């Protein structure tokens, strides 16, 4: 190599390394803006992961997960029907893989979920006696929580125990064990997993009546002298109707109980909802019609801009309460993998996340980054 060329190379690499180490702190080593770096002094940025991502069959997701996220939540594989398929049989294959992936990606795993009325294994329906049901309940929590103590950061100990009016949902747990099952679940989890954070997780608990129900649950757990570390507000909202006022009130009221607030399943769908509400009840289903699937050919700019604006307003709110808000987890990595393509109507094309079907950042991604950086910096770096 000629001396002049060598000198030029040294000068260029010096400029690059100065730029990376000082001016552009939110860049990762490949020079792209990284969500987890942008918000590293504010909150964890998590993503729910599916089987393909856990088995490392999806290189596009692997790259995004490592660049942008520092928390992993299993979308399905730690739920009862997968991890505990039969009375006396557990299957930890995928859960163990996820824990390994978390280590590899340097991303803690946020366990989801120990006690939930949905995705239960078929054997549970057949349990007749209260004593047998209690045995299942105790062993399920104890076995799973103790196996992963110190390996997962947290558990959603109880998920979706409430109705919209704040009363307790009629579930197998309520029917068989009575309303104390929630405190009991936390007590068992605390004993089995002393090094794991414990949360109550639900959707729509930003809404006043359901929020009051969640507050009553949390107070009851605390009054029993049992540990609860946080509350998970799921965050399945519609991008044209995000309940900002209720979310802000909720952060304040939950934080006042001395616990952390997590947004655990964030996505902002853009499609019409048949019932015009923000429910996330997986049992609600409706018929397909072309009218209900208006963006099959692509997302119009106006809808994309509205979504980006809503995401920006949400992140501004999260930043305002950064001392109380510990984590923002998106329910998926890119739009094509979202549960909202199949719920509540199968076969629709939804666009709820920050990355598109080609793993590219969307307008919403840039607007979220711009809540912390100058617009020019957010755009330039991709
Ligand atoms: O595993 C089977 C597979 O064998 C089969 O071929 C395929 C055919 O449809 O179905 C697969 O199971 C699906 C499973 O996701 C895994 O992909 C179920 O049908 C489907 O119902 C299930 O949906 C999950 C849903 O929970 C079910 O309760 C979604 O992926 C998951 O995103 C969603 O997550 C919930 C949270 O846990 C709690 N809060 C609400 C949130 C959204 O509903």
């Amino acid at each position: 190599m000629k001396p002049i060329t060598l000198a030029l190379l040294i000068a260029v690499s010096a400029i690059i390394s100065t730029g990376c180490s000082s001016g552009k702190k939110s860049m990762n080593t490949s020079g792209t803006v990284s969500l987890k770096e942008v918000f590293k002094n504010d909150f964890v940025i998590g993503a729910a992961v599916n089987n393909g991502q856990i088995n490392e069959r999806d290189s596009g997701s692997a790259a995004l997960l490592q660049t942008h996220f520092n928390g992993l939540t299993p979308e399905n594989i730690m739920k009862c029907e997968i991890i505990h398929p039969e009375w006396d049989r557990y299957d930890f294959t995928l859960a163990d893989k996820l824990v390994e992936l978390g280590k590899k990606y340097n991303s803690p795993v946020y366990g989801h979920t120990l006690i939930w009325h949905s995705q239960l294994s078929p054997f549970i329906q057949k349990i007749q006696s209260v004593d047998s049901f209690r045995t299942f309940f105790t062993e399920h929590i104890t076995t799973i929580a103790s196996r992963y103590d110190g390996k997962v950061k947290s558990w959603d100990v109880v998920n979706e125990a409430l109705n919209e009016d704040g009363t307790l949902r009629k579930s197998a747990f309520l029917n068989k064990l009575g309303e104390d099952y929630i405190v009991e679940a936390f007590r068992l989890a605390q004993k089995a997993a002393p090094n794991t954070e414990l949360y109550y997780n639900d959707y729509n608990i930003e809404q006043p009546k359901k929020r009051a129900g969640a507050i009553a649950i949390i107070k009851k757990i605390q009054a029993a002298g049992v540990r609860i570390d946080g509350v998970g507000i799921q965050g399945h909202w519609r991008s044209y109707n995000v309940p900002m006022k209720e979310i802000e009130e909720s952060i304040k009221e939950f934080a006042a109980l001395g616990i952390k607030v997590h947004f655990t399943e964030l996505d902002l769908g853009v499609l019409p909802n048949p019932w015009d509400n923000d429910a996330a009840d997986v049992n609600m289903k409706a018929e397909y019609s072309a009218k209900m699937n208006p963006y099959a050919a692509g997302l119009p700019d106006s809808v994309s801009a509205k979504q980006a604006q809503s995401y920006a307003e949400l992140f501004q709110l999260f930043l305002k309460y950064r001392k109380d808000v510990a984590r923002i987890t998106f329910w998926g990595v890119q739009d094509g993998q979202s549960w909202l393509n199949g719920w509540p109507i199968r076969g629709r094309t939804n666009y709820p996340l920050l990355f598109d079907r080609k793993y590219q950042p969307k307008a919403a991604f840039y607007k979220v980054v711009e809540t912390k950086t100058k617009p020019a910096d957010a755009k330039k770096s991709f």
Side-chain angles (χ1 to χ4, degrees):
M1 191 181 289
K2 288 181 184 165
I4 179 94
T5 320
L6 186 63
L8 204 63
L9 263 177
I10 292 168
V12 168
S13 56
I15 291 166
I16 291 171
S17 72
T18 315
C20 287
S21 64
S22 58
K24 303 211 167 168
K25 290 225 166 57
S26 49
M27 305 276 173
N28 69 0
T29 46
S30 62
T32 56
V33 162
S34 153
L35 284 176
K36 69 179 175 191
E37 283 296 313
V38 168
F39 295 103
K40 75 171 177 222
N41 295 323
D42 305 307
F43 20 69
V44 168
I45 301 289
V49 285
N50 62 24
N51 289 25
Q53 289 153 347
I54 294 167
N55 284 313
E56 298 188 83
R57 287 195 305 259
D58 175 355
S59 57
S61 288
L64 291 181
L65 284 165
Q66 289 174 88
T67 301
H68 295 285
F69 299 94
N70 50 7
L72 303 176
T73 302
E75 186 176 0
N76 285 298
I77 57 101
M78 281 180 162
K79 292 174 181 172
C80 180
E81 69 178 0
I82 295 168
I83 206 166
H84 189 180
E86 292 171 66
W87 173 268
D88 53 359
R89 186 168 71 83
Y90 290 83
D91 184 347
F92 298 117
T93 318
L94 287 164
D96 287 354
K97 266 194 182 151
L98 175 62
V99 168
E100 286 311 306
L101 194 73
K103 284 189 208 152
K104 180 171 168 184
Y105 289 1
N106 203 14
S107 267
V109 171
Y110 293 82
H112 173 82
T113 170
L114 292 172
I115 295 299
W116 188 29
H117 64 276
S118 195
Q119 286 179 281
L120 287 171
S121 300
F123 78 85
I124 293 156
Q125 270 190 340
K126 296 184 195 131
I127 303 175
Q128 294 294 332
S129 81
V130 170
D131 280 353
S132 298
F133 195 91
R134 192 173 293 284
T135 302
F136 148 70
F137 182 80
T138 304
E139 288 184 358
H140 179 80
I141 295 173
T142 305
T143 306
I144 300 169
S146 61
R147 181 183 180 90
Y148 292 105
D149 190 34
K151 294 183 175 165
V152 300
K153 173 94 177 157
S154 69
W155 274 111
D156 294 337
V157 178
V158 176
N159 190 43
E160 301 177 4
L162 289 164
N163 294 313
E164 298 307 294
D165 65 0
T167 58
L168 288 183
R169 180 193 287 270
K170 283 198 168 61
S171 67
F173 302 104
L174 183 67
N175 294 347
K176 284 277 192 317
L177 305 177
E179 56 183 39
D180 284 343
Y181 85 88
I182 300 177
V183 173
E184 206 40 46
F186 276 81
R187 198 192 305 277
L188 289 164
Q190 172 179 5
K191 190 165 170 223
N195 305 301
T196 309
E197 293 175 6
L198 309 177
Y199 310 144
Y200 176 72
N201 191 54
D202 211 332
Y203 58 85
N204 280 355
I205 48 170
E206 70 282 357
Q207 294 301 332
K209 284 186 184 156
K210 204 166 177 179
R211 187 197 316 157
I215 289 172
I217 286 176
I218 295 161
K219 285 186 167 168
K220 196 170 170 187
I221 295 168
Q222 292 174 327
V226 175
R227 178 165 62 86
I228 174 166
D229 302 287
V231 63
I233 300 175
Q234 291 187 3
H236 298 292
W237 296 305
R238 291 167 290 166
S239 69
Y240 46 91
N241 190 27
V242 182
M244 297 296 294
K245 178 173 147 285
E246 290 81 1
I247 298 169
E248 180 160 12
E249 288 166 2
S250 304
I251 297 173
K252 287 198 232 171
E253 289 184 21
F254 287 130
L257 300 173
I259 57 172
K260 288 284 176 200
V261 179
H262 298 246
F263 289 87
T264 49
E265 305 186 12
L266 181 59
D267 47 25
L268 299 186
V270 299
L271 297 181
N273 174 296
W275 310 282
D276 199 30
N277 66 20
D278 285 316
D281 189 328
V282 286
N283 298 315
M284 294 166 71
K285 303 246 156 65
E287 282 298 307
Y288 180 92
S289 70
K291 186 169 153 259
M292 296 304 275
N293 189 22
Y295 312 128
L299 190 61
D301 287 347
S302 60
V303 182
S304 167
K306 174 68 197 145
Q307 180 187 48
Q309 187 55 32
S310 294
Y311 263 119
E313 285 167 17
L314 257 181
F315 269 75
Q316 276 153 5
L317 184 66
F318 297 154
L319 287 169
K320 181 174 169 191
Y321 291 95
R322 57 197 277 279
K323 96 177 159 29
D324 303 314
V325 175
R327 169 171 58 109
I328 314 298
T329 287
F330 292 86
W331 204 240
V333 174
Q334 53 100 327
D335 286 341
Q337 299 158 334
S338 167
W339 73 294
L340 288 172
N341 295 301
W343 183 92
I345 298 174
R346 273 179 178 271
R348 296 200 296 177
T349 309
N350 210 331
Y351 304 81
L353 299 166
L354 299 190
F355 296 94
D356 69 18
R357 286 168 167 77
K358 294 183 174 149
Y359 301 90
Q360 295 304 306
K362 296 160 56 182
F365 171 91
Y366 294 114
K367 283 285 182 199
V368 164
V369 171
E370 283 170 31
T371 60
K372 289 283 287 190
T373 66
K374 292 194 201 107
D377 285 346
K379 272 262 159 67
K380 208 161 52 180
S381 38
F382 264 97

